[in-house]
Amino acid sequence: MKDMMRSAMVIARRDFSAVIFTRTFLFFLLGPLLPILIGMAFGGLSEKISNDSLRPAMGLSMPPAQAARMLDAREAIARRIGADHISALKAAPWPADPQQLLARSDAGYAAVVSGSVDRLVLTGQRADIARLEGDVRLIASAAKMRATLPEVRVERNPVALSASGQAQARLTTGRAAQILMFLLTMLLAGMVLSNMVEEKNNKVIEILAAAVPIDAVFLGKLVAMLSMSFIGIFFWAVCALAGMGLLAGPGFALPTPAVGWPVFLLLALLYFAMAYCLLGSLFLGIGAQAATVREVQTLNMPVTMGQMVVFFFATYAVDHMGSAPEIAAAVFPLSSPFAMIARAAQDTALWPHVLALAWQALWVALIIRMGVWLFRRHVLHSGTKRPLFRRRSPPAS
């Protein structure tokens, strides 16, 4: 056992150095940040477009006294419900024909409100009238009632703890941890597949198999890719914290999980390592059997789809703590890391995590052993390579 671990560390250092000290690894670190930046830019743009399209401005062509009442009422409503939730009013020439005002290219509004507070006229296209009529009625009602409707002040009574609010916040933390773990696992574990196929095609795997046990080769490659993944996660976490510090502001605080942040972060790292090793060992076994990159791509899709089904099963179990589906998700090896990290966010007990980590480590060892057995049987058996997909020979005539 000691010799095998020593050999596995030699393989891990070899693969780790071959990946880290390359220029492509820098692009690997920066690659996930570019879609995030582009998504943030397009998200802000789409939100602005959505607000502009859903709440277009209206021109206000009324006598000065009537227009002042409408503008004051609109500002009062905007202070209460937010300026983005009520259409804007822009002063328009008065007296004027509303149709001529809308025909102007520099008008800047989609409809024109004319008449008086007691008798409104809304001029515009049918679709714009249907969208804006409710806002016009609300503003006019506030303008009519402003003299008799006093502004009611609400006394604030904040509390330090709310049981239902805390439970909902912890549920949100668990779901966010699950999604983040799943995305990182699917992003990073797939590299194990191509790594094994390349070394098989280059005959390197045969040299390694002759020098060290196959178990050490599999374990070493898994440790090397996991170590590389931790470097990427550390870099992305630093960037995420820096971005949150710049964008969120000083008052921003994430919901505290049930076990506390230090223990939760430690469990998150351990469960990510287990999820990565479970999926990575499965990918290693597949890559060891595949003879070409095409076979790897063919097998990658069903494995990925199966892992997505497992992830959805784990997310379903989050809302049913202690139920049969949640226990099944915690016991099934591939879904266990995702189910247990959600449990850590909602339950203070630590002993289930010790059992779960030991259970997941056992399955990692079993999957590696199964991959090694298949590799010896189909690839190294009698010095010949047996392809994973074999064509049947036509029957003899």
Side-chain angles (χ1 to χ4, degrees):
M1 184 66 180
K2 186 176 181 180
D3 293 338
M4 192 193 73
M5 294 301 297
R6 186 184 297 112
S7 301
M9 290 302 103
V10 172
I11 300 296
R13 285 196 298 269
R14 167 189 170 273
D15 285 17
F16 183 78
S17 302
V19 174
I20 293 297
F21 300 109
T22 57
R23 295 179 181 177
T24 55
F25 185 71
L26 179 61
F27 292 100
F28 165 76
L29 292 177
L30 298 177
L33 300 180
L34 297 179
I36 295 175
L37 296 177
I38 295 174
M40 292 174 61
F42 276 99
L45 179 62
S46 63
E47 183 179 1
K48 182 179 183 302
I49 294 174
S50 177
N51 290 335
D52 292 343
S53 61
L54 292 177
R55 299 290 179 183
M58 296 180 290
L60 188 61
S61 179
M62 285 184 175
Q66 300 282 330
R69 292 176 61 186
M70 292 286 288
L71 292 173
D72 290 343
R74 193 268 171 191
E75 292 301 321
I77 295 173
R79 285 195 299 268
R80 288 168 171 80
I81 66 174
D84 295 335
H85 297 86
I86 189 71
S87 300
L89 289 178
K90 293 183 178 180
W94 179 85
D97 185 2
Q99 295 185 10
Q100 293 181 359
L101 292 177
L102 291 174
R104 294 170 50 179
S105 59
D106 59 343
Y109 33 76
V112 174
V113 181
S114 58
S116 64
V117 175
D118 297 320
R119 188 175 181 180
L120 295 170
V121 178
L122 182 59
T123 305
Q125 296 181 352
R126 291 183 180 274
D128 294 328
I129 292 176
R131 284 187 298 172
L132 300 174
E133 185 177 1
D135 288 357
V136 174
R137 288 180 176 180
L138 179 62
I139 295 172
S141 300
K144 292 179 65 175
M145 300 295 295
R146 192 156 178 78
T148 59
L149 184 64
E151 183 175 349
V152 178
R153 297 187 177 275
V154 178
E155 181 181 353
R156 297 184 178 182
N157 185 22
V159 297
L161 181 64
S162 172
S164 60
Q166 188 180 44
Q168 187 64 31
R170 288 176 174 177
L171 176 62
T172 303
T173 302
R175 286 191 180 279
Q178 281 185 328
I179 295 173
L180 186 60
M181 276 181 51
F182 176 74
L183 292 177
L184 290 174
T185 303
M186 298 307 298
L187 173 67
L188 299 170
M191 294 183 295
V192 182
L193 274 170
S194 58
N195 179 273
M196 200 66 165
V197 175
E198 289 174 1
E199 295 201 346
K200 280 181 60 181
N201 294 335
N202 297 333
K203 308 296 183 180
V204 177
I205 194 67
E206 297 180 1
I207 299 174
L208 295 176
V212 297
I214 298 297
D215 306 67
V217 174
F218 275 60
L219 182 60
K221 288 184 173 296
L222 197 59
V223 171
M225 301 306 287
L226 179 61
S227 302
M228 185 203 66
S229 301
F230 276 132
I231 293 179
I233 290 173
F234 177 77
F235 175 77
W236 298 328
V238 171
C239 295
L241 291 175
M244 290 172 60
L246 292 175
L247 300 177
F252 177 77
L254 293 172
T256 304
V259 296
W261 276 115
V263 177
F264 184 79
L265 292 177
L266 176 61
L267 289 175
L269 288 176
L270 293 175
Y271 282 130
F272 167 76
M274 287 301 166
Y276 183 91
C277 289
L278 286 165
L279 191 60
S281 59
L282 188 61
F283 281 167
L284 270 177
I286 294 173
Q289 298 300 307
T292 62
V293 177
R294 179 176 296 179
E295 289 186 1
V296 169
Q297 295 173 348
T298 303
L299 290 173
N300 190 18
M301 179 60 69
V303 173
T304 303
M305 292 297 102
Q307 186 65 9
M308 291 184 65
V309 172
V310 169
F311 171 70
F312 290 143
F313 176 51
T315 55
Y316 169 78
V318 177
D319 297 332
H320 305 80
M321 288 288 295
S323 63
E326 195 268 341
I327 296 174
V331 172
F332 187 67
L334 294 178
S335 63
S336 180
F338 306 108
M340 293 306 297
I341 193 61
R343 175 180 280 267
Q346 302 177 79
D347 190 8
T348 57
L350 295 178
W351 65 266
H353 301 287
V354 178
L355 295 178
L357 290 170
W359 175 249
Q360 294 160 22
L362 175 62
W363 273 95
V364 171
L366 290 176
I367 295 175
I368 291 177
R369 289 296 300 170
M370 180 61 68
V372 169
W373 180 78
L374 291 173
F375 182 74
R376 285 173 176 164
R377 178 178 176 84
H378 293 281
V379 180
L380 297 182
H381 182 67
S382 300
T384 59
K385 293 184 179 180
R386 299 182 180 181
L388 186 59
F389 298 111
R390 290 182 292 183
R391 297 181 179 177
R392 293 185 176 181
S393 57
S397 58

